[in-house]
Amino acid sequence: MSSARWIWSPRREYVNQHIFFRKRFELAQVPASVVLKITADTRYCLYVNGEGAFRGPARSFPHAIACDEIDIAPLLKPGPNVLAVHVLSFGVSTGISVFRDRAGLYVQCEIPAGSGVLELETNHTWRFSEAPLYRRQVSRSASQLGYQEHLDYTRDSFVGEGGKPDWRHADFDDSAWQKPHLLGIAGVLPWRALRPRGIPALESALRLPLRITGQWEGADRLATASTEESCDVACTAALEKRTPASRIWFDNADSLRETPHAKVQIVPTPAGQASALVIDFGETRFGYPVLKIDGAHGGEIFDLIYDERLGESGIDITRPCNGQAAAYEYSLGDRLTCRAGANTLETLQPRGFRYLMLIARNVRKPVTLSRLALHEVTYPVAERGSFACSDKLLNTIWATGVRTLRHCMADAYMDCPKTQEQGWASARIAGMVSFYALGDTALYRAGLQLMAQSSVYVPDGLLMGVNPSERPDCVMLDYCLHWIASLWEYYLFTGDISVLKEHRGTLEKVLSFFSIHAGERGLLGPTTNYSIFLDNAPGLDRGNLSATFNLLYLQALRAAAQIGNALGDSGLASHCSRNAVALADRIMMVFSSSRRSLLVETVDMRTGEPGDLVSQHATALAVLEGVLGRRDYDRTGAVADVVKDFLPAPGVEIALGPVRANLFFRGYVHEALSMLGHGRYALEDIRRTWGYMLDQGATTWWERLPMRPGSSRCQAWSSHPTTFLSRHVLGLAPLEPGWKAFRVSPQAFDLTHAEGKVPTPHGEISVRWEKQDGNRIKLELTAPSGTEARYWGTDKRQTQVLTNGTHTLEA
């Protein structure tokens, strides 16, 4: 039995607590492989003989905490070695973690040594120390995140000060460090189970800034602030009355983008003044900022401020987030206070930003800035899909969607790199883009599992909509419905039935809640206990009966029926099918407009009176679920008019007409247009709206239009045009789970040619078509082994069944 124990400091002061752990050992020789298992609550960074900087764990809930396996043999050497682990406890629940009144480190590792083994497990033989260089009384970075990182090297830091050995190296003397407190073996509360990471290890590479955007100067608020105030000042309004620099404060700043070993001289500023340098990484990125200062004299202070946009005076520093503030109130910043000599800040927590502003204060003598960069984190996945057509704008839109998705992929599908949350409405869209463009399934599977695991934190059989989290506002009923639909979509695209089996029990609990909530009325109404998102479009009424909400429920019921059929569970399948039929009838009865050609968006809960507004949301879902759109008149009449009626101009929020979908829900509207035979209107909206963002300088897709303070400029849910182009212009969609059978039905629209690939579990499907005379096209299709293609010609009436191989068709 392993001797590994969860360990921590005996002091129960978990809030923003940084602790250094060490285990020194001797090796006569280095084995070919040494697998170390490690996890921590909340974040760790592992060094082996001062090298490596392995970070983790993958986001998870405490009761099923992710455990990493790392082969450390390449970093070991004969003689003295050391494992050094920096662990950070948030001490609070966030939008990316859950706190259960305990923090800890767990390591399990055995090395063969002669006739026995050398145990490196965390136990009483390890040593620890509080990390004195990290100040604990600092602001939260955001309500979704942990705390700012303030490194004060003027304290006893253990980081190679004055020629002394660094704590991460074997020759460091840790005899004065303490023995850790033993919390228990694997399985001790709250860490009931150690689970494999489930996704590949993230990759990291140093990225230099793309350009220098400017230098600034202003009053240093910190100069007059008290010690207690100074921690908050750094990331709120520390540099007041900023103006463009009257002189060069950062000499040779361009070298920062040319070499990782720059020599930027920071010029002293007068007392009470500060200077600032803003750099641009070209687009929103995600990773660990790095700041290196050489030749410091001691007492210099440098603040790093992050944002996705640039104001007239550099980065507009916003108010601190107190955990209850609105989502846009960020205090994203970190600080380095220098000792004499060399100083380095590399954050333990990743940051998401495009622009970085370095504020220099208390610089009384020249110092050298040798690096201001980012260790960018990326999810390791190849781009197996591709798309190109005769319209260069659409090619750019497809590629920008993939780039947006990549920047939102880490240990989860993040809504955006800034907040780092995984909200399931966004993850559902991100997963679909990944299926079409990348071919990765692991991150989607891990997200489905995380959401299912959240059921232990929510009563009534519901799930958290943002995971891992336990924030009350993150229990969103429509996100639970999206999760049910996602289970079926995952199976359809992967053929992996094990996921359906794994989550069958959770699925039934969620369905049970909605069945009880619908009650005798047969419709879902609002609840004071839980949130409903739907879309960030003005005009949606969440306080009464909502057609959009109920149509999402209908979609989930039909997905659950298909899951029941796939599992051979006739009871689940028939139950959900009957409920879906009844719900569809009820929706038509309650939400039909006076002319019964449309559905109204809301019905008053008290009076039963229908509202006046219709919405693109409900109309689109009604088409997708067959509630509307079955008559020829729907394709030319009011139904088509509603889903074609997008905002009259990008950025306009209020206009006469239906409640219009914002960027998130626009994907469902585009699919409805295609189902009605009006895909060209969807393509026009993609060109106009997503093209507008490109015209405004977007490098990744925005969260919404019009933009509001704090809205993300790199939002995963806005990348769905990539899916649309692959699904409809290339014309590829699965018909049987795992693409065993798939549809080939390209839509030429006003294009002359298109080509691309879509990844499947069997290999890539390749399509190339060219428009011939009239509306006829010549198509070349390559289907991988084990698949069957069903080709619909341009007349949509003739179907050809094609087995694997390359085929040339004309229609």
Side-chain angles (χ1 to χ4, degrees), residues 439-483:
D440 176 74
T441 62
L443 205 58
Y444 203 64
R445 182 174 62 246
L448 289 167
Q449 184 180 67
L450 264 181
M451 195 160 173
Q453 289 170 352
S454 73
S455 62
V456 302
Y457 297 94
V458 189
D460 302 329
L462 286 171
L463 310 176
M464 302 296 302
V466 173
N467 290 285
S469 176
E470 61 174 352
R471 288 169 39 191
D473 61 332
C474 289
V475 184
M476 288 174 276
L477 299 183
D478 49 325
Y479 279 37
C480 294
L481 299 174
H482 283 297
W483 180 80

Side-chain angles (χ1 to χ4, degrees), residues 42-43 59 61 90-99 140 142-147 349 419 421 464 466-471 473-474:
T42 310
R43 294 287 181 267
R59 66 182 75 192
F61 287 99
F90 287 171
V92 293
S93 290
T94 68
I96 58 175
S97 63
V98 169
F99 176 62
R140 286 278 293 275
S143 62
Q144 301 93 334
L145 304 175
Y147 291 82
Q349 302 167 80
T419 66
E421 289 181 315
M464 302 296 302
V466 173
N467 290 285
S469 176
E470 61 174 352
R471 288 169 39 191
D473 61 332
C474 289

Side-chain angles (χ1 to χ4, degrees), residues 298-584:
E300 297 93 342
I301 299 173
F302 298 92
D303 292 326
L304 300 179
I305 314 296
Y306 319 104
D307 208 340
E308 291 184 296
R309 67 185 185 92
L310 202 60
E312 294 181 356
S313 56
I315 291 178
D316 294 329
I317 309 173
T318 53
R319 294 172 286 173
C321 178
N322 60 12
Q324 311 226 336
Y328 59 83
E329 291 184 327
Y330 292 94
S331 191
L332 272 175
D334 300 297
R335 170 183 290 175
L336 171 66
T337 301
C338 293
R339 68 188 177 200
N343 299 260
T344 299
L345 182 157
E346 180 170 351
T347 64
L348 188 64
Q349 302 167 80
R351 308 300 190 193
F353 60 95
R354 172 176 174 172
Y355 298 100
L356 188 158
M357 180 164 66
L358 174 67
I359 302 176
R361 55 171 62 88
N362 203 31
V363 178
R364 301 295 170 255
K365 296 180 181 179
V367 298
T368 300
L369 169 62
S370 59
R371 182 175 298 176
L372 187 58
L374 176 71
H375 270 126
E376 185 176 20
V377 171
T378 55
Y379 181 86
V381 58
E383 192 171 307
R384 293 171 54 196
S386 64
F387 176 86
C389 71
S390 55
D391 186 337
K392 293 182 179 179
L393 174 60
L394 295 180
N395 298 340
T396 300
I397 288 171
W398 190 94
T400 303
V402 177
R403 185 165 59 250
T404 301
L405 175 65
R406 284 189 175 277
H407 292 327
C408 293
M409 295 174 72
D411 56 347
Y413 288 123
M414 301 180 292
D415 289 358
C416 63
K418 182 165 61 174
T419 66
Q420 303 177 30
E421 289 181 315
Q422 178 178 252
W424 198 254
S426 186
R428 182 183 177 187
I429 289 174
M432 196 62 61
V433 177
S434 182
F435 287 151
Y436 270 104
L438 305 178
D440 176 74
T441 62
L443 205 58
Y444 203 64
R445 182 174 62 246
L448 289 167
Q449 184 180 67
L450 264 181
M451 195 160 173
Q453 289 170 352
S454 73
S455 62
V456 302
Y457 297 94
V458 189
D460 302 329
L462 286 171
L463 310 176
M464 302 296 302
V466 173
N467 290 285
S469 176
E470 61 174 352
R471 288 169 39 191
D473 61 332
C474 289
V475 184
M476 288 174 276
L477 299 183
D478 49 325
Y479 279 37
C480 294
L481 299 174
H482 283 297
W483 180 80
I484 294 173
S486 295
L487 284 174
W488 172 250
E489 290 169 351
Y490 174 86
Y491 176 57
L492 181 62
F493 277 80
T494 67
D496 179 9
I497 200 168
S498 67
V499 169
L500 302 186
K501 294 177 179 178
E502 178 184 359
H503 300 308
R504 174 177 172 174
T506 304
L507 168 65
E508 291 178 344
K509 291 178 182 177
V510 176
L511 288 171
S512 177
F513 166 84
F514 284 107
S515 177
I516 295 172
H517 183 46
E520 295 181 358
R521 181 177 54 212
L523 293 171
L524 298 180
T527 170
T528 56
N529 297 332
Y530 305 116
S531 304
I532 301 173
F533 170 67
L534 302 182
D535 186 25
N536 51 12
L540 291 177
D541 183 356
R542 298 165 181 83
N544 285 297
L545 288 176
S546 163
T548 298
F549 185 29
N550 280 277
L551 284 159
L552 285 172
Y553 181 33
L554 177 61
Q555 185 181 76
L557 282 173
R558 288 179 171 164
Q562 291 176 302
I563 291 171
N565 286 326
L567 292 173
D569 187 339
S570 58
L572 175 63
S574 61
H575 173 76
C576 291
S577 294
R578 288 195 305 271
N579 284 354
V581 170
L583 178 60

Side-chain angles (χ1 to χ4, degrees), residues 89-90 101 144 213 346 430 463 476 548 645 700 744 777 804:
S89 164
F90 287 171
D101 199 34
Q144 301 93 334
T213 64
E346 180 170 351
L463 310 176
M476 288 174 276
T548 298
D645 189 5
T700 50
V744 184
I777 63 171
N804 58 281

Side-chain angles (χ1 to χ4, degrees), residues 33 115 278 670 693 781:
S33 176
S115 59
V278 179
H670 292 165
M693 287 186 272
L781 167 73

Side-chain angles (χ1 to χ4, degrees), residues 622-641:
V623 169
L624 294 175
E625 296 307 315
V627 175
L628 296 177
R630 291 171 292 184
R631 302 170 302 178
D632 290 339
Y633 173 74
D634 292 335
R635 301 174 185 274
T636 58
V639 170
D641 289 342

